[in-house]
Amino acid sequence: MSLNRESALQIARVLTEALPYIQNFNGRTVVVKFGGNAMVDPQLHESFARDVVLMKLVGMNPVVVHGGGPQIGKLLEKLNIHTEFVNGMRVTDAETMDVVEMVLGGSVNKEIVASISRSGGKAIGVTGKDGGLIRARKLKVNRYSPELGASEIVDIGHVGEVEHIDIGVLNVILDSDFIPVIAPIGVDAEGNTYNINADLVAGKIAQVMRAEKLMLLTNVSGLMDREDKVLTGLSTGEVDALIADGTISGGMLPKIGCALDAVKAGVSSAHIIDGRVPHAVLLEIFTDEGIGTLISNRDS
C-alpha cells in the first residue's frame, strides 16, 4: 500500500529536517540520563532503545546513564527492608546498598542492554566500579533540626557524590563500536561502594567527555515558567536569573543545577526532556522545535 500525498510529504519533511542535525552531530558524544516513566513503561523503554540505536547508526556516540529508584523501592518492599528518606535521598545502610547494587548494576542495567540488543544495537553495561570509572566520596547532608534550631549533618549511609571520573573504560567501549550503559555506583579510595544520583553522574561524565549534549529524561514537560509554559532556548545567564528570582525552585533545582554546571564546564547544550513522550530523544535532537528545555552556552 503506497502513501498518500499528504503523508508522503510529511515524512519527507521530517527526514530532510533531520539531515543537518545528523551531519552536525556525526562523531559527537551525547550523554543521556535514562529515568522516570520511560524506565518502567515497556513501550517507552523500547522506543528509547530504538532512539539510542538510531543515534549510533547515524554516527553519533550515545552514552547512557540510568537510574532505578522505583525498581529499588519495589525490591526493598518485597524483601521487607524498611528505608527512610532525608532531603529526598534514600538512607542507604549496608543491607540496602546490597539491594541497590543488585538492582542498578544487575537487573536494570542488563535490561537496558537487552533492549538495545533487541533493537539491533550493541551495548555493554558497566557500573562506576568497573575500570575505575567513578571515584566517589561520601555525601554529607545538612538537615534543619527543630530541636537544635540549626542545621545538622545527617549520615545517610552509602550515598555518595562524584569525586573523579576516569573515562578510559568508556573510550574502550566506544572505540569498539558499542554503546556504554552505566549504573551510577561508585567506589571510594578504601573500596566502599556508594549509590550516586544518576543526573549528577551523567552531568560529570558529559563534562569530562566534553560531550556535545547532555540529555536528562524526566517526568515533566521541561522547565516551566510561572504560567506553566515550557521555557527553552535559555542561556546559562538566563537560568541563573530564573533561579535567583525563584522561578526555578524545589525538586527541579538539582536537575537544572546539574545541566547548568555541565554547560558552564564546556558541554555545548543540556536538555531537560519529557521521557513520557515516545521517541523523546530523537524528537529533541533531530527536529527544529524539540520537545523540552534547552540550555546552551551561548552568550547571555
Side-chain angles (χ1 to χ4, degrees), residues 12-46:
R13 186 191 68 80
V14 171
L15 291 174
T16 55
E17 185 177 308
L19 179 59
Y21 296 102
I22 293 172
Q23 292 170 324
N24 290 337
F25 301 146
N26 185 270
R28 305 294 179 88
T29 297
V30 177
V31 178
V32 186
K33 185 266 182 165
F34 182 43
N37 281 37
M39 287 194 71
V40 296
D41 182 304
Q43 290 184 325
L44 292 174
H45 200 292
E46 292 302 318

Short mmCIF file of all heavy atoms in Angstrom, two decimals, residues 12-46:
data_model
loop_
_atom_site.label_atom_id
_atom_site.label_comp_id
_atom_site.label_asym_id
_atom_site.label_seq_id
_atom_site.Cartn_x
_atom_site.Cartn_y
_atom_site.Cartn_z
N ALA A 12 8.72 13.09 4.26
CA ALA A 12 9.85 13.72 3.59
C ALA A 12 10.33 14.95 4.34
O ALA A 12 11.54 15.20 4.47
CB ALA A 12 9.48 14.08 2.15
N ARG A 13 9.39 15.76 4.88
CA ARG A 13 9.76 16.95 5.63
C ARG A 13 10.55 16.59 6.88
O ARG A 13 11.56 17.21 7.19
CB ARG A 13 8.51 17.73 6.03
CG ARG A 13 8.81 19.06 6.70
CD ARG A 13 7.56 19.68 7.31
NE ARG A 13 7.08 18.91 8.44
CZ ARG A 13 7.60 18.98 9.67
NH1 ARG A 13 8.64 19.76 9.91
NH2 ARG A 13 7.10 18.25 10.64
N VAL A 14 10.08 15.56 7.59
CA VAL A 14 10.77 15.13 8.81
C VAL A 14 12.18 14.63 8.49
O VAL A 14 13.15 14.97 9.18
CB VAL A 14 9.95 14.03 9.52
CG1 VAL A 14 10.77 13.42 10.66
CG2 VAL A 14 8.64 14.59 10.05
N LEU A 15 12.31 13.84 7.44
CA LEU A 15 13.62 13.29 7.09
C LEU A 15 14.59 14.39 6.67
O LEU A 15 15.76 14.39 7.09
CB LEU A 15 13.47 12.26 5.98
CG LEU A 15 12.75 10.96 6.36
CD1 LEU A 15 12.53 10.08 5.14
CD2 LEU A 15 13.55 10.19 7.41
N THR A 16 14.14 15.34 5.87
CA THR A 16 15.04 16.41 5.43
C THR A 16 15.37 17.36 6.57
O THR A 16 16.47 17.92 6.62
CB THR A 16 14.42 17.19 4.25
OG1 THR A 16 13.12 17.68 4.62
CG2 THR A 16 14.30 16.31 3.02
N GLU A 17 14.45 17.55 7.49
CA GLU A 17 14.72 18.39 8.66
C GLU A 17 15.79 17.78 9.53
O GLU A 17 16.61 18.48 10.15
CB GLU A 17 13.43 18.58 9.47
CG GLU A 17 13.55 19.53 10.64
CD GLU A 17 12.23 19.74 11.36
OE1 GLU A 17 11.23 20.07 10.68
OE2 GLU A 17 12.18 19.57 12.60
N ALA A 18 15.84 16.44 9.58
CA ALA A 18 16.82 15.75 10.42
C ALA A 18 18.21 15.78 9.82
O ALA A 18 19.21 15.68 10.55
CB ALA A 18 16.39 14.29 10.63
N LEU A 19 18.31 15.94 8.49
CA LEU A 19 19.61 15.81 7.82
C LEU A 19 20.70 16.72 8.38
O LEU A 19 21.81 16.24 8.68
CB LEU A 19 19.44 16.04 6.32
CG LEU A 19 20.73 15.97 5.48
CD1 LEU A 19 21.39 14.60 5.63
CD2 LEU A 19 20.43 16.28 4.02
N PRO A 20 20.47 18.03 8.54
CA PRO A 20 21.57 18.87 9.05
C PRO A 20 22.01 18.49 10.46
O PRO A 20 23.19 18.64 10.81
CB PRO A 20 20.99 20.29 9.00
CG PRO A 20 19.51 20.12 8.91
CD PRO A 20 19.28 18.84 8.19
N TYR A 21 21.08 18.00 11.27
CA TYR A 21 21.44 17.59 12.62
C TYR A 21 22.31 16.34 12.58
O TYR A 21 23.28 16.21 13.34
CB TYR A 21 20.19 17.34 13.46
CG TYR A 21 19.36 18.58 13.67
CD1 TYR A 21 18.20 18.81 12.93
CD2 TYR A 21 19.75 19.56 14.58
CE1 TYR A 21 17.44 19.95 13.11
CE2 TYR A 21 19.00 20.71 14.76
CZ TYR A 21 17.85 20.90 14.01
OH TYR A 21 17.11 22.04 14.19
N ILE A 22 21.97 15.41 11.70
CA ILE A 22 22.78 14.20 11.54
C ILE A 22 24.19 14.58 11.10
O ILE A 22 25.19 14.04 11.61
CB ILE A 22 22.12 13.24 10.52
CG1 ILE A 22 20.80 12.70 11.08
CG2 ILE A 22 23.06 12.08 10.19
CD1 ILE A 22 19.98 11.90 10.09
N GLN A 23 24.28 15.53 10.16
CA GLN A 23 25.60 15.97 9.68
C GLN A 23 26.39 16.68 10.79
O GLN A 23 27.58 16.41 10.98
CB GLN A 23 25.42 16.91 8.48
CG GLN A 23 24.87 16.22 7.24
CD GLN A 23 24.49 17.21 6.15
OE1 GLN A 23 23.99 18.31 6.43
NE2 GLN A 23 24.69 16.82 4.89
N ASN A 24 25.74 17.56 11.53
CA ASN A 24 26.43 18.34 12.55
C ASN A 24 26.89 17.51 13.73
O ASN A 24 27.92 17.82 14.35
CB ASN A 24 25.52 19.47 13.06
CG ASN A 24 25.30 20.55 12.03
OD1 ASN A 24 26.10 20.71 11.11
ND2 ASN A 24 24.20 21.29 12.16
N PHE A 25 26.13 16.45 14.08
CA PHE A 25 26.44 15.69 15.28
C PHE A 25 27.20 14.40 14.99
O PHE A 25 27.44 13.61 15.90
CB PHE A 25 25.16 15.36 16.05
CG PHE A 25 24.39 16.59 16.47
CD1 PHE A 25 23.00 16.58 16.52
CD2 PHE A 25 25.05 17.76 16.81
CE1 PHE A 25 22.29 17.71 16.91
CE2 PHE A 25 24.35 18.89 17.19
CZ PHE A 25 22.96 18.87 17.24
N ASN A 26 27.59 14.19 13.74
CA ASN A 26 28.35 12.99 13.41
C ASN A 26 29.66 12.96 14.19
O ASN A 26 30.41 13.94 14.20
CB ASN A 26 28.63 12.98 11.90
CG ASN A 26 29.32 11.70 11.47
OD1 ASN A 26 30.54 11.60 11.46
ND2 ASN A 26 28.53 10.70 11.11
N GLY A 27 29.91 11.86 14.85
CA GLY A 27 31.13 11.70 15.64
C GLY A 27 31.10 12.37 17.00
O GLY A 27 32.07 12.28 17.75
N ARG A 28 30.01 13.04 17.33
CA ARG A 28 29.91 13.75 18.61
C ARG A 28 29.33 12.83 19.69
O ARG A 28 28.53 11.93 19.41
CB ARG A 28 29.04 14.99 18.47
CG ARG A 28 29.47 15.95 17.38
CD ARG A 28 30.82 16.59 17.67
NE ARG A 28 31.23 17.50 16.61
CZ ARG A 28 30.89 18.78 16.56
NH1 ARG A 28 30.11 19.30 17.48
NH2 ARG A 28 31.33 19.53 15.57
N THR A 29 29.67 13.12 20.94
CA THR A 29 29.18 12.34 22.08
C THR A 29 27.95 12.99 22.67
O THR A 29 27.92 14.21 22.87
CB THR A 29 30.27 12.21 23.15
OG1 THR A 29 31.40 11.50 22.61
CG2 THR A 29 29.76 11.47 24.38
N VAL A 30 26.94 12.19 22.94
CA VAL A 30 25.72 12.65 23.60
C VAL A 30 25.49 11.76 24.82
O VAL A 30 25.36 10.53 24.69
CB VAL A 30 24.50 12.58 22.67
CG1 VAL A 30 23.24 13.01 23.43
CG2 VAL A 30 24.69 13.46 21.44
N VAL A 31 25.47 12.36 26.00
CA VAL A 31 25.22 11.61 27.24
C VAL A 31 23.76 11.74 27.59
O VAL A 31 23.23 12.86 27.68
CB VAL A 31 26.10 12.14 28.40
CG1 VAL A 31 25.80 11.37 29.69
CG2 VAL A 31 27.59 12.02 28.03
N VAL A 32 23.09 10.60 27.77
CA VAL A 32 21.66 10.58 28.04
C VAL A 32 21.40 9.92 29.39
O VAL A 32 21.82 8.78 29.61
CB VAL A 32 20.88 9.81 26.95
CG1 VAL A 32 19.37 9.94 27.18
CG2 VAL A 32 21.25 10.30 25.56
N LYS A 33 20.74 10.65 30.27
CA LYS A 33 20.31 10.05 31.53
C LYS A 33 18.91 9.49 31.33
O LYS A 33 17.96 10.20 31.02
CB LYS A 33 20.31 11.08 32.67
CG LYS A 33 19.98 10.45 34.03
CD LYS A 33 18.51 10.55 34.35
CE LYS A 33 18.19 9.97 35.73
NZ LYS A 33 16.85 10.37 36.21
N PHE A 34 18.79 8.17 31.50
CA PHE A 34 17.55 7.44 31.28
C PHE A 34 16.89 7.18 32.62
O PHE A 34 17.47 6.53 33.49
CB PHE A 34 17.87 6.12 30.56
CG PHE A 34 16.68 5.28 30.22
CD1 PHE A 34 15.53 5.84 29.69
CD2 PHE A 34 16.74 3.90 30.38
CE1 PHE A 34 14.44 5.05 29.36
CE2 PHE A 34 15.66 3.11 30.04
CZ PHE A 34 14.51 3.68 29.53
N GLY A 35 15.68 7.73 32.81
CA GLY A 35 14.98 7.53 34.08
C GLY A 35 13.52 7.87 33.96
O GLY A 35 13.01 8.14 32.86
N GLY A 36 12.83 7.88 35.09
CA GLY A 36 11.41 8.25 35.11
C GLY A 36 10.52 7.21 34.47
O GLY A 36 10.84 6.01 34.43
N ASN A 37 9.38 7.68 33.93
CA ASN A 37 8.39 6.78 33.34
C ASN A 37 8.96 5.93 32.22
O ASN A 37 8.52 4.79 32.00
CB ASN A 37 7.21 7.60 32.77
CG ASN A 37 6.24 8.04 33.84
OD1 ASN A 37 6.65 8.37 34.95
ND2 ASN A 37 4.95 8.05 33.53
N ALA A 38 9.91 6.48 31.48
CA ALA A 38 10.47 5.75 30.35
C ALA A 38 11.12 4.44 30.77
O ALA A 38 11.23 3.50 29.98
CB ALA A 38 11.49 6.62 29.62
N MET A 39 11.54 4.34 32.04
CA MET A 39 12.18 3.12 32.51
C MET A 39 11.19 2.04 32.90
O MET A 39 11.51 0.86 32.84
CB MET A 39 13.08 3.42 33.72
CG MET A 39 14.34 4.16 33.37
SD MET A 39 15.52 4.12 34.73
CE MET A 39 16.03 2.41 34.67
N VAL A 40 9.99 2.44 33.31
CA VAL A 40 9.03 1.46 33.83
C VAL A 40 7.90 1.15 32.86
O VAL A 40 7.16 0.19 33.06
CB VAL A 40 8.45 1.92 35.19
CG1 VAL A 40 9.56 1.99 36.23
CG2 VAL A 40 7.78 3.29 35.08
N ASP A 41 7.74 1.95 31.82
CA ASP A 41 6.73 1.69 30.79
C ASP A 41 7.40 0.90 29.66
O ASP A 41 8.31 1.41 29.01
CB ASP A 41 6.18 3.02 30.27
CG ASP A 41 5.10 2.84 29.23
OD1 ASP A 41 5.35 2.17 28.20
OD2 ASP A 41 4.00 3.38 29.41
N PRO A 42 6.96 -0.34 29.39
CA PRO A 42 7.64 -1.17 28.39
C PRO A 42 7.73 -0.53 27.01
O PRO A 42 8.76 -0.63 26.34
CB PRO A 42 6.79 -2.45 28.37
CG PRO A 42 6.12 -2.50 29.71
CD PRO A 42 5.87 -1.07 30.07
N GLN A 43 6.67 0.14 26.57
CA GLN A 43 6.69 0.75 25.25
C GLN A 43 7.68 1.91 25.18
O GLN A 43 8.42 2.07 24.20
CB GLN A 43 5.29 1.21 24.86
CG GLN A 43 4.32 0.07 24.58
CD GLN A 43 2.96 0.57 24.11
OE1 GLN A 43 2.48 1.60 24.55
NE2 GLN A 43 2.34 -0.19 23.22
N LEU A 44 7.70 2.74 26.24
CA LEU A 44 8.65 3.85 26.28
C LEU A 44 10.08 3.33 26.38
O LEU A 44 11.01 3.91 25.80
CB LEU A 44 8.34 4.77 27.46
CG LEU A 44 7.03 5.56 27.38
CD1 LEU A 44 6.79 6.32 28.68
CD2 LEU A 44 7.05 6.53 26.20
N HIS A 45 10.26 2.25 27.11
CA HIS A 45 11.57 1.62 27.26
C HIS A 45 12.10 1.20 25.89
O HIS A 45 13.26 1.47 25.53
CB HIS A 45 11.44 0.41 28.18
CG HIS A 45 12.73 -0.04 28.80
ND1 HIS A 45 13.76 -0.60 28.07
CD2 HIS A 45 13.16 -0.01 30.08
CE1 HIS A 45 14.75 -0.91 28.88
NE2 HIS A 45 14.43 -0.56 30.10
N GLU A 46 11.24 0.55 25.10
CA GLU A 46 11.67 0.09 23.78
C GLU A 46 11.89 1.24 22.81
O GLU A 46 12.81 1.20 21.99
CB GLU A 46 10.63 -0.90 23.22
CG GLU A 46 10.55 -2.22 23.99
CD GLU A 46 11.87 -2.97 24.04
OE1 GLU A 46 12.58 -3.03 23.01
OE2 GLU A 46 12.21 -3.49 25.12
#
